C-alpha cells in the first residue's frame, strides 16, 4: 500500500491458495488468546491437545462431522492404538482412553516420516480425551508415550482416499535439535553482556563527571543493548530486576520503592535530578551489569524455552512499549521496540533451520517482520526517536496492526519448537 507521509509501503502478500491452511488457534502465550491466524497447528491449550489439519473456521470441512462419530482408541503400553482399524479420508474424531496406570502423551503419526498430525498431552489414567484431525489417504499409527517409560507404537492403519486434502503434519522438534540453538544463542548473549558492560560504564562515567547531557546521550545505546537480549531474560534471574525491572507506573516513579536499574536512571536524567543524586543509582546499575557479565558463562539457557521466547518478546513489546508503561521520560519506547525486534530476529535466525521445513507460514512471518521494522525505522532519525505520545492516530494504528500481525505469526514458532518426546 502507499502512505503519503512516508512513501510506498509494501503490503506483505497473502499466500497463494493451497500454500497455507487457515485455522483458528489458541496459542500458548502466557494465558492470552490470539485470534484467527494463518498457522500450521491448531492448538487447544487448556486441554493439552493439538492437531495439524485443515479443519478451519471458514473452510469446507468446518461443519462436516466425521462419519460414524468418535472412534475409541486405547492408550496403554500393551494395546496402544487398539480400536482403530481404518477410515476414509476426511475429518476424524478419536476418543483417546488411557487404560493404563500412568499418565501418557499420545501422537498420531505418519510411521514412515515421523510427522505428527495430532497430539494429546498429559492424558491421565482412566480418562478419555477427544482428538480431531483431518487426514488424507495414507498410513497412520498412534504412538503412546507413557511417563517414565519408552514409547510404544501401535499398528499401522490405512486411510483410503486421496492424499490431497489432508492437513499438514510436522516432524517433532526434540530437545536434541534445540541444544545447538541454545548454545549458539548463549554465545551471542555472552558477547552482548560484554558490550552492555562497556556501554553502562560510559553512562556511569558521565554521571560521575556531572555531565548529564553526556549521560542522556549514553543512556539509550546502553539500554538498547540489554533490550536486544530479551530471549535470555528468564535465565538472568534477579539480575533482570536489578538491571531493567519494570518499576512503578511512570506517574508514581518519584515515590517508587526499590526502584533501580536503567529505568531509575532514566527517570532521574529526564526529570531534573542532580548528578550527585543519580550517582548511587548509576553505580548500582553498573554493579548489576558487571555481575551479569561475570556470571553468565556459568548459566545455561533452557532449549525448550527458545521458541516460546521468540514469540513472547514482541508480545511483551506490544503490551509495554506501545502503551507507554515503561517510558520514564526519555520518550524512546519505539527505539526499545526496534531493539526487541532485533532480538526476535536474532533468535529466529538460529531457529530457522528447524522451521524452514516445518512452518509454511515462515515467509509470511518474515514479510511482516520486515514491515514492522520499516514502520519503526520511520520514527527514528540520527539517534532521535519520536515519543509515543506524539504519534498521530494513523501511525498508532499502523504500529498496532504491524506488530499484532507479527505476534500472531510468531505463535506457531512457539508451538512447533516446543520440544517433544519421540522415544
Amino acid at each position: 500500500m502507499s502512505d503519503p507521509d512516508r512513501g510506498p509501503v509494501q503490503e506483505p502478500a497473502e499466500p497463494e491458495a493451497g500454500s497455507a491452511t487457515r485455522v483458528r488457534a489458541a496459542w500458548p502465550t502466557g494465558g492470552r488468546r490470539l485470534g484467527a491466524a494463518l498457522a500450521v497447528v491448531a492448538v487447544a491449550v487448556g486441554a493439552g491437545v493439538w492437531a495439524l489439519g485443515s479443519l478451519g473456521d471458514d473452510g469446507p470441512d468446518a461443519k462436516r462431522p466425521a462419519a460414524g462419530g468418535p472412534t475409541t482408541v486405547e492408550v496403554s503400553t500393551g494395546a496402544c492404538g487398539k480400536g482403530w482399524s481404518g477410515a476414509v479420508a476426511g475429518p476424524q474424531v478419536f476418543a483417546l482412553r488411557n487404560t493404563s496406570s500412568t499418565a501418557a502423551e499420545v501422537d498420531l503419526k505418519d510411521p514412515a516420516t515421523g510427522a505428527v498430525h495430532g497430539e494429546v498431552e498429559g492424558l491421565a489414567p482412566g480418562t478419555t480425551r477427544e482428538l480431531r484431525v483431518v487426514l488424507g489417504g495414507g498410513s497412520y499409527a498412534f504412538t503412546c508415550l507413557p511417563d517414565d517409560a519408552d514409547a510404544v507404537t501401535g499398528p499401522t492403519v490405512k486411510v483410503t482416499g486421496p492424499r490431497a486434502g489432508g492437513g499438514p503434519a510436522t516432524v517433532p522438534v526434540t530437545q536434541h535439535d534445540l541444544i545447538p540453538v541454545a548454545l549458539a544463542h548463549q554465545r551471542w548473549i555472552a558477547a552482548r553482556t560484554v558490550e552492555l558492560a562497556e556501554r553502562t560504564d560510559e553512562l556511569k562515567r558521565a554521571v560521575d563527571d556531572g555531565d548529564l547531557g553526556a549521560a542522556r546521550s549514553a543512556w539509550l545505546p546502553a539500554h538498547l543493548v540489554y533490550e536486544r537480549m530479551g530471549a535470555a531474560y528468564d535465565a538472568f534471574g534477579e539480575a533482570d530486576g536489578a538491571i531493567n525491572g519494570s518499576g512503578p507506573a511512570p506517574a508514581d516513579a518519584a515515590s517508587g520503592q526499590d526502584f533501580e536499574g536503567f529505568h531509575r536512571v532514566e527517570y532521574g536524567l529526564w526529570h531534573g535530578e542532580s548528578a550527585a543524586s543519580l550517582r548511587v543509582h548509576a553505580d548500582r546499575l553498573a554493579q548489576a551489569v558487571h555481575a551479569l557479565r561475570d556470571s553468565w558463562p556459568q548459566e545455561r539457557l533452557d532449549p525448550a524455552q527458545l521458541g516460546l521466547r521468540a514469540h513472547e518478546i514482541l508480545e511483551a513489546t506490544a503490551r509495554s512499549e506501545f502503551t507507554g508503561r515503561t517510558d520514564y521520560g526519555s520518550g524512546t519506547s519505539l527505539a526499545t521496540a526496534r531493539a526487541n525486534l532485533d532480538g526476535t530476529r536474532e533468535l529466529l535466525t538460529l531457529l530457522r533451520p528447524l522451521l524452514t521445513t516445518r512452518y509454511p507460514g515462515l515467509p509470511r512471518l518474515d514479510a511482516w517482520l520486515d514491515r514492522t521494522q520499516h514502520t519503526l525505522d520511520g520514527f527514528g532519525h540520527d539517534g532521535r526517536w519520536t515519543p509515543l505520545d506524539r504519534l498521530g492516530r494513523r501511525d498508532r494504528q499502523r504500529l498496532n496492526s504491524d506488530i499484532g500481525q507479527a505476534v500472531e505469526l510468531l505463535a506457531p514458532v512457539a508451538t512447533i519448537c516446543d520440544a517433544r518426546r519421540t522415544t
Side-chain angles (χ1 to χ4, degrees), residues 59-370:
D61 295 325
K63 296 183 175 64
R64 196 176 81 201
T71 300
T72 300
V73 176
E74 186 173 342
V75 176
S76 69
T77 55
C80 181
K82 182 180 179 180
W84 186 39
S85 58
V88 176
Q92 315 290 328
V93 181
F94 299 102
L96 303 180
R97 178 164 181 78
N98 187 350
T99 60
S100 72
S101 59
T102 184
E105 177 184 315
V106 190
D107 293 346
L108 178 59
K109 293 184 175 182
D110 178 334
T113 65
V116 176
H117 291 256
E119 175 187 77
V120 171
E121 295 179 325
L123 184 61
T127 62
T128 301
R129 194 175 295 164
E130 204 171 78
L131 173 66
R132 295 173 177 266
V133 294
V134 179
L135 300 178
S139 298
Y140 303 89
F142 280 101
T143 295
C144 303
L145 300 100
D147 290 355
D148 302 320
D150 293 338
V152 177
T153 299
T156 297
V157 173
K158 297 290 185 181
V159 173
T160 60
R163 181 171 290 275
T170 295
V171 176
V173 170
T174 67
Q175 188 90 349
H176 180 75
D177 295 327
L178 291 168
I179 287 174
V181 178
L183 292 174
H185 198 59
Q186 187 152 343
R187 290 190 293 270
W188 185 83
I189 293 294
R192 301 290 77 71
T193 63
V194 173
E195 181 184 4
L196 177 65
E198 293 171 350
R199 295 282 192 176
T200 305
D201 286 346
E202 292 176 13
L203 170 61
K204 181 180 180 299
R205 280 194 298 270
V207 174
D208 287 344
D209 293 342
D211 190 344
L212 296 185
R216 281 188 286 271
S217 296
W219 181 87
L220 183 60
H223 184 235
L224 295 185
V225 173
Y226 191 80
E227 290 291 344
R228 293 187 184 98
M229 298 159 63
Y233 286 169
D234 286 348
F236 290 165
E238 294 181 359
D240 180 43
I243 295 171
N244 206 41
S246 59
D252 301 325
S255 58
Q257 298 296 314
D258 300 320
F259 181 25
E260 294 294 347
F262 274 113
H263 290 306
R264 178 61 184 89
V265 176
E266 175 191 9
Y267 180 81
L269 287 173
W270 275 273
H271 285 85
E273 290 190 16
S274 67
S277 66
L278 275 175
R279 283 180 188 131
V280 63
H281 302 297
D283 185 59
R284 288 172 182 166
L285 170 61
Q287 289 180 25
V289 166
H290 280 261
L292 174 63
R293 181 201 61 189
D294 295 342
S295 65
W296 182 247
Q298 286 73 51
E299 300 297 330
R300 291 294 179 266
L301 285 172
D302 181 359
Q305 292 294 313
L306 295 178
L308 182 61
R309 293 300 297 147
H311 173 251
E312 285 183 338
I313 294 171
L314 286 191
E315 185 185 41
T317 299
R319 189 170 56 244
S320 56
E321 307 309 328
F322 285 6
T323 62
R325 173 65 183 80
T326 53
D327 182 1
Y328 290 89
S330 67
T332 57
S333 294
L334 299 183
T336 299
R338 181 65 173 81
N340 295 159
L341 181 61
D342 286 342
T344 299
R345 302 193 88 152
E346 175 63 28
L347 188 49
L348 281 177
T349 297
L350 298 176
L351 290 170
R352 189 169 296 274
L354 300 177
L355 295 170
T356 299
T357 58
R358 291 176 169 90
Y359 185 20
L362 189 58
R364 189 164 184 258
L365 169 59
D366 289 336
W368 276 97
L369 291 175
D370 287 344

Side-chain angles (χ1 to χ4, degrees), residues 21-29 32-46 49-53 55-57 311 359 407-413 415:
T21 302
R22 186 171 183 83
V23 299
R24 182 169 296 279
W27 300 104
T29 60
R32 192 166 75 89
R33 180 178 294 267
L34 296 178
L38 277 170
V40 185
V41 188
V43 184
V45 178
V49 180
W50 63 263
L52 291 157
L55 191 59
D57 293 327
H311 173 251
Y359 185 20
V407 167
E408 239 178 60
L409 291 169
L410 281 164
V413 173
T415 302

